[in-house]
């Protein structure tokens, strides 16, 4: 096993020792799926409205998982390592801190994939929720959404002087993202101005593109371009701003 693999394994064990984090990023999306299924089943909505919710809820759950990982867990963990001097000490050792950064990205991405698989599996077999009808679009959107959101999280980690600041910055971005991104209410129920702003946020673009793939449509070009641009710009910013100490 290489040093990078060993480091990733150790970081995975540390991640799993925090049951709260595991619960919110893995169990919460599945719980949301179940709660909304019960609400929708017992509602007086038309079949078309129920079909729309069946595409909205799993897309919303996956988008929330990616957002919580990228704006909460990832930047706070990296800022904590910098604050405690771990990154500085690793920079002076054969194990360069970039390996720790890569390990964290791998762990968070793997967690997002596990949550997505659970949402798909539980939704299909427990609640008879349809799977994405446009699979290539779904995979592309999930990959672009993860890139865009994680790159934003890396910018937060690069700018935050410590763990408290990283948590504060992440939360200050999280709740507006949930509002404008159409998590609290589907896009079609939001005021036009709010919905338009949401189209240009990474969470909003991810959620809407996932919904499109669920309904059998190719995502709008605007949403894919937003995700690609955010991912590219924030990746460059994170690389230039990130400090090891």
């Amino acid at each position: 096993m290489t040093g990078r693999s060993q480091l990733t394994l150790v970081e995975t064990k540390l991640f799993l020792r925090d049951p709260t984090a595991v619960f919110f990023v893995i169990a919460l999306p599945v719980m949301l799926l179940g709660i909304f299924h019960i609400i929708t089943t017992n509602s007086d909505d038309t079949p078309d409205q129920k079909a729309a919710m069946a595409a909205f809820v799993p897309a919303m759950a996956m988008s929330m998982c990616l957002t919580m990982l990228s704006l909460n867990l990832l930047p706070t963990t990296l800022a904590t390592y910098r604050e405690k001097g771990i990154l500085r000490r690793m920079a002076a050792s054969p194990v360069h801190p970039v390996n720790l950064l890569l390990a964290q990205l791998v762990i968070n991405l793997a967690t997002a994939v596990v949550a997505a698989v659970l949402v798909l599996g539980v939704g299909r077999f427990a609640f008879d929720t349809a799977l994405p009808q446009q699979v290539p679009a779904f995979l592309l959107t999930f990959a672009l959404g993860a890139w865009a959101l994680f790159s934003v999280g890396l910018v937060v980690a690069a700018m935050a002087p410590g763990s408290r600041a990283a948590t504060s910055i992440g939360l200050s971005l999280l709740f507006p993202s949930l509002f404008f991104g159409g998590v609290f209410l589907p896009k079609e129920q939001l005021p036009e101005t709010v919905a338009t702003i949401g189209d240009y946020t990474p969470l909003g673009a991810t959620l809407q593109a996932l919904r499109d793939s669920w309904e059998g449509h190719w995502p709008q070009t605007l949403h894919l371009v937003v995700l690609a641009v955010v991912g590219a710009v924030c990746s460059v910013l994170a690389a230039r701003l990130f400090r090891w100490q």
Side-chain angles (χ1 to χ4, degrees):
M1 183 178 292
T2 64
R4 183 176 299 172
S5 300
Q6 291 178 333
L7 181 60
T8 302
L9 179 60
V10 170
E11 289 297 310
T12 301
K13 291 180 179 178
L14 292 174
F15 176 81
L16 294 176
R17 286 179 183 176
D18 186 355
T20 303
V22 175
F23 171 80
F24 275 107
V25 299
I26 293 181
L28 184 59
V30 178
M31 290 179 60
L32 288 173
L33 197 65
I35 292 171
F36 276 93
H37 173 76
I38 295 173
I39 294 173
T40 304
T41 301
N42 296 310
S43 70
D44 296 327
D45 292 341
T46 65
D48 288 342
Q49 290 174 322
K50 290 184 177 182
M53 286 298 293
F56 166 73
V57 174
M60 177 268 290
M62 291 185 188
S63 301
M64 278 192 64
C65 175
L66 286 171
T67 304
M68 288 188 296
L69 284 168
S70 61
L71 296 183
N72 191 355
L73 295 183
L74 178 62
T76 300
T77 299
L78 293 176
T80 299
Y81 284 162
R82 183 194 298 118
E83 190 175 42
K84 293 182 176 180
I86 295 174
L87 297 180
R88 175 177 53 82
R89 290 194 293 271
M90 290 183 67
S93 71
V95 183
H96 196 273
V98 72
N99 291 316
L100 180 61
L101 183 62
L102 292 174
Q104 282 294 319
L105 287 173
V106 168
I107 293 168
N108 281 272
L109 180 58
T111 302
V113 171
V114 169
V117 170
L118 284 174
V119 168
L120 292 171
V122 174
R124 184 72 182 94
F125 295 107
F127 307 124
D128 198 28
T129 302
L131 296 175
Q133 299 181 44
Q134 183 66 261
V135 176
F138 168 78
L139 295 175
L140 175 62
T141 298
F142 190 85
L144 284 176
W147 178 32
L149 287 163
F150 283 145
S151 64
V152 173
L154 290 177
V155 172
V156 174
M159 296 174 60
S163 57
R164 291 184 179 179
T167 301
S168 298
I169 296 172
L171 290 177
S172 68
L173 293 174
L174 174 63
F175 290 106
S177 295
L178 296 178
F179 174 70
F180 287 104
V183 170
F184 296 139
L185 285 174
K187 178 182 177 181
E188 55 271 18
Q189 298 180 22
L190 292 173
E192 183 178 355
T193 301
V194 175
T196 300
I197 294 174
D199 284 333
Y200 292 90
T201 66
L203 172 57
T206 300
L207 174 52
Q208 298 308 318
L210 286 175
R211 287 185 67 184
D212 286 339
S213 70
W214 233 281
E215 295 172 346
H217 310 302
W218 189 261
Q220 296 181 35
T221 303
L222 170 64
H223 296 147
L224 298 180
V225 170
V226 166
L227 294 177
V229 170
V230 170
V233 171
C234 288
S235 295
V236 173
L237 285 175
R240 292 186 176 183
L241 297 175
F242 202 90
R243 308 181 312 278
W244 303 118
Q245 55 184 344

